[in-house]
Amino acid sequence: MNTMTTAATTKEKMTFFNLEPLICDADNMLDVLVNMMEHMHLTDKLAEGSNHVLTDGEANHLFFIACQAEAMTHKLKKAYYEVWDNERGEGGLPIAGQLGTLIAAHVEALRHYDATPGDNPKSPAVARANALVTKTRQALFDHRPTNMAEAARKGEFMASCRTFIEWDDFDQVQLISALTPKERN
């Protein structure tokens, strides 16, 4: 069973790694199509600008392979955009690694907080949801980017997230530290 089947069967989120079998299948099918056209000498005839007559069997086979190649590329394109959506965080930012995990946890904490009934702001459920948002937000502050690209992604996320825009309980030094890549040894 390939990774695509495994991911689809277990309802796991697709990742870019899972796209490899689809890419290979589409590439192989296009290779079959081109080889078939070369075997029928269609590439030579098309290059010369001359006509070539196909038998019904050749035409049907060529049409079938072309349709299969088209179906595979459409499936690949759909899977690519599914993966792209799965690996994006709030604000449309690509997320990966530890930073991605922290951003995803914060987005999930915010989603949970927003889903909590707000009838009683002092209720235990609201207090737990608020504590989780605060904890995941602080974890993002404490995480030091590993490079400038990650610092940029983190800064873009923070600039798009209401807990960093609307809450003013941090100072400039904390913000600068949060966006400064850690030193390598």
Side-chain angles (χ1 to χ4, degrees):
M1 186 182 314
N2 67 29
T3 53
M4 285 297 297
T5 307
T6 304
T9 306
T10 60
K11 301 293 184 203
E12 293 176 14
K13 282 188 176 181
M14 289 279 295
T15 65
F16 281 106
F17 176 77
N18 298 125
L19 294 178
E20 183 180 11
L22 277 177
I23 293 168
C24 292
D25 288 347
D27 184 55
N28 289 337
M29 188 56 69
L30 289 172
D31 196 35
V32 168
L33 179 60
V34 170
N35 285 336
M36 188 176 182
M37 290 179 66
E38 287 175 350
H39 178 72
M40 294 177 181
H41 304 289
L42 292 179
T43 51
D44 297 337
K45 300 293 181 184
L46 292 173
E48 296 169 2
S50 62
N51 295 329
H52 184 76
V53 178
L54 298 175
T55 66
D56 281 344
E58 289 174 327
N60 288 338
H61 197 169
L62 187 61
F63 184 71
F64 173 77
I65 297 297
C67 288
Q68 290 300 311
E70 180 187 36
M72 287 180 173
T73 57
H74 285 286
K75 186 176 180 180
L76 175 60
K77 182 179 176 183
K78 181 180 180 214
Y80 171 83
Y81 284 113
E82 178 184 334
V83 169
W84 181 254
D85 289 342
N86 288 343
E87 295 195 6
R88 293 168 67 83
E90 188 172 310
L93 301 172
I95 55 176
Q98 185 180 11
L99 177 62
T101 302
L102 293 171
I103 289 173
H106 189 61
V107 169
E108 180 62 21
L110 279 171
R111 188 195 61 72
H112 181 69
Y113 177 81
D114 290 341
T116 306
D119 300 342
N120 180 1
K122 297 193 186 265
S123 74
V126 171
R128 279 192 305 274
N130 189 39
L132 185 57
V133 167
T134 301
K135 180 180 176 180
T136 57
R137 178 178 175 261
Q138 189 60 49
L140 276 164
F141 264 126
D142 294 342
H143 171 74
R144 295 287 300 274
T146 57
N147 55 48
M148 289 305 292
E150 190 176 79
R153 287 193 301 270
K154 182 178 178 180
E156 290 170 4
F157 173 78
M158 291 171 72
S160 71
C161 182
R162 69 181 191 262
T163 60
F164 295 98
I165 298 169
E166 298 169 5
W167 299 9
D168 59 0
D169 60 340
F170 58 90
D171 60 23
Q172 292 174 338
V173 173
Q174 185 181 16
L175 181 60
I176 290 168
S177 178
L179 296 175
T180 303
K182 62 183 169 187
E183 294 180 26
R184 294 186 178 183
N185 296 334

